[in-house]
Amino acid sequence: MSKTVDIDWGKLGFSYMKVGLRYISKWSNGSWDEGKLVEDNTLAISEASTALHYGQQCFEGMKAYRTKEGKIQLFRPDRNAARLNDSCRRVLMPEIPEEKFIDACIQLVKANAEYVPPYGSGATLYLRPFVIGVGDNLGVRPAPEFIFSIFAVPVGPYFKGGMVPVNFITSDFDRAAPYGTGAAKVGGNYAGSLMPHKVAVDKGFADCIYLDPATHTKIEEVGAANFFGITKDNKFVTPKSPSILPSITKYSLLHVAKEYLGLEVEERDVLVDNLDEFKEAGACGTAAVITPIGGIEHKGKFHVFHSETEVGPVTKKLYETLCGIQFGDVEAPEGWIVEVK
C-alpha cells in the first residue's frame, strides 16, 4: 500500500494543484515518440500553434481510485482512449494507440501514487489527458506537430455534505450545431458554454440545459454532463443524438441500471414538454458521477421531479452501485477495472 501526502482530503475541491510529475509525448514526421514523465508543468509552444488559433485540440477526464485494500485502479480507461481518438479524428489530429494511452495513464498514476487519496475520503486522483496541435503554422490547416500530455490533480468529493438535488433552466443558446463537434470532446464546445452557464447561474440555477439545436424541443445535455431520467414505470432513459458527447459515465449507468438494478433502459428522444413522464432525473459525468436534478424551468414553468431536497431512491442506488464499482466495493463487469501495479 503506497503512502499518501499530508493533505486535508476533505477540504479538496475541484481545482488545479501541481503534483510531482506529468506525462508528455510529441508527434512529428508521422509518429509519436516514446513519451516521458517530466517535472515541468508548463508547455513551450510556437505562437502560431493551431491549438491557440484554430482550436485544434481535444481532452479527456478520468480518475484513479484507491480501494479499501489500498490498491489503485483506473475505471474503463479503454473507453477514454477510444473517445479521445474519436475527437482526434474529428479535428484531424493523429490518434493515440490505446496501449500507449493506458500505459501513459499507469505510468503517471504510479509516479504520483502518493497523491491518490485514501479510501473512504471520497476524494480521487483526476487525470486530464489532452492533445494539441503545435508548431509553426499560419493557414487554416492541421498542425505540423502535436503534443499528447496527461497531468494529474487530487480532487475532493463532489458532494461534501452528501448528495443534494439542484435545479436547472433550459437555455436558448445551442451547445453544438446539428452536424458539428458536439460528439467530440473539444475545447470550443466548452468555451461556448461559459456564457449560457453564467446566464443560468445569475438566475439562481446550478447550470443550464441545452436542447437539440434543430428544434429546441428535446433535451440534449445538462451543462457539461449527460441527462437521464427514471420513468414512473422504472425505465432508465437517456437522450440519443449525434450532437451529444458520449459519456462514459452514462454508458456505465445504462449497464448498471439494466444488469445490477434490473431496470429497462432506453436511449431515445426526451421531449422537454414531457418531463412529467419522469419520477426522478439526474445529470451524469466524471466529476460528480451523478448530480440529482430537483427541478427544471422551461419557458417560465418549473417542473419538480422526486424532490428539491431529497435524492430519489433509484438515483441513489445507481450512484452507490457505480461508485462501489469504481472504488472496488462492488464486483465490476469484466474489463472495466485496470489495476495500477
Side-chain angles (χ1 to χ4, degrees), residues 118-131:
Y119 174 85
S121 65
T124 51
L125 186 69
Y126 181 83
L127 308 186
R128 171 56 61 85
F130 62 94
V131 182

Side-chain angles (χ1 to χ4, degrees), residues 71 101 104-105 221 290 318 323:
K71 297 177 182 177
F101 179 93
C105 292
E221 294 208 357
I290 290 175
L318 285 165
C323 285

Side-chain angles (χ1 to χ4, degrees), residues 158-165 311 319:
Y158 195 88
F159 301 106
K160 287 183 168 53
M163 287 175 76
V164 179
V311 182
Y319 177 82

Side-chain angles (χ1 to χ4, degrees), residues 278-327:
F278 300 111
K279 62 179 181 178
E280 299 178 32
C284 56
T286 299
V289 181
I290 290 175
T291 299
I293 299 176
I296 294 174
E297 181 171 310
H298 177 60
K299 293 184 177 177
K301 183 181 177 182
F302 186 66
H303 178 88
V304 176
F305 296 98
H306 178 76
S307 165
E308 287 186 76
T309 56
E310 294 181 6
V311 182
V314 179
T315 300
K316 187 178 181 189
K317 187 66 175 174
L318 285 165
Y319 177 82
E320 290 173 347
T321 306
L322 187 55
C323 285
I325 291 170
Q326 292 171 333
F327 282 102

Side-chain angles (χ1 to χ4, degrees), residues 61-318:
M62 53 195 294
K63 291 177 176 178
Y65 307 80
R66 193 180 293 275
T67 70
K68 191 180 293 183
E69 296 75 31
K71 297 177 182 177
I72 299 172
Q73 57 189 36
L74 299 170
F75 177 72
R76 308 193 76 179
D78 58 321
R79 302 316 305 152
N80 290 99
R83 190 170 66 176
L84 185 73
N85 283 331
D86 287 342
S87 299
C88 283
R89 284 193 294 272
R90 180 61 180 84
V91 292
L92 294 183
M93 298 195 295
E95 295 179 36
I96 316 296
E98 180 183 306
E99 185 178 330
K100 179 181 179 70
F101 179 93
I102 295 176
D103 177 65
C105 292
I106 291 172
Q107 281 189 52
L108 179 71
V109 174
K110 281 177 69 174
N112 296 293
E114 62 186 338
Y115 288 96
V116 181
Y119 174 85
S121 65
T124 51
L125 186 69
Y126 181 83
L127 308 186
R128 171 56 61 85
F130 62 94
V131 182
I132 58 174
V134 296
D136 297 330
N137 179 77
L138 198 57
V140 182
R141 63 175 72 90
E145 300 172 0
F146 297 88
I147 289 174
F148 164 50
S149 183
I150 315 175
F151 64 85
V153 181
V155 296
Y158 195 88
F159 301 106
K160 287 183 168 53
M163 287 175 76
V164 179
V166 293
N167 298 328
F168 296 86
I169 185 171
T170 56
S171 177
D172 293 329
F173 290 94
D174 288 329
R175 175 186 162 271
Y179 296 95
T181 58
K185 199 167 175 67
V186 294
N189 295 345
Y190 295 82
S193 75
L194 296 175
M195 182 184 287
H197 171 77
K198 184 178 185 303
V199 169
V201 170
D202 288 347
K203 290 179 179 177
F205 295 88
D207 207 337
C208 64
I209 286 185
Y210 295 103
L211 304 177
D212 70 293
T215 71
H216 275 217
T217 60
K218 296 173 280 191
I219 288 180
E220 291 226 325
E221 294 208 357
V222 185
N226 279 195
F227 176 88
F228 73 86
I230 308 300
T231 64
K232 290 171 181 174
D233 58 351
N234 272 341
K235 290 178 183 173
F236 179 100
V237 176
T238 187
K240 186 174 181 65
S241 164
S243 53
I244 293 176
L245 181 74
S247 164
I248 293 158
T249 304
K250 180 185 83 171
Y251 285 109
S252 301
L253 285 172
L254 277 163
H255 183 91
V256 166
K258 183 179 180 181
E259 303 298 335
Y260 287 68
L261 274 61
L263 306 178
E264 285 188 56
V265 299
E266 293 181 346
E267 270 191 286
R268 60 163 170 83
D269 289 346
V270 175
L271 297 174
V272 71
D273 287 335
N274 289 358
L275 294 179
D276 58 356
E277 70 172 313
F278 300 111
K279 62 179 181 178
E280 299 178 32
C284 56
T286 299
V289 181
I290 290 175
T291 299
I293 299 176
I296 294 174
E297 181 171 310
H298 177 60
K299 293 184 177 177
K301 183 181 177 182
F302 186 66
H303 178 88
V304 176
F305 296 98
H306 178 76
S307 165
E308 287 186 76
T309 56
E310 294 181 6
V311 182
V314 179
T315 300
K316 187 178 181 189
K317 187 66 175 174
L318 285 165

Side-chain angles (χ1 to χ4, degrees), residues 32-48:
W32 290 104
D33 68 14
E34 194 173 316
K36 60 184 178 180
L37 297 170
V38 299
E39 290 188 8
D40 190 1
N41 69 333
T42 61
L43 295 174
I45 63 173
S46 168
E47 62 188 353

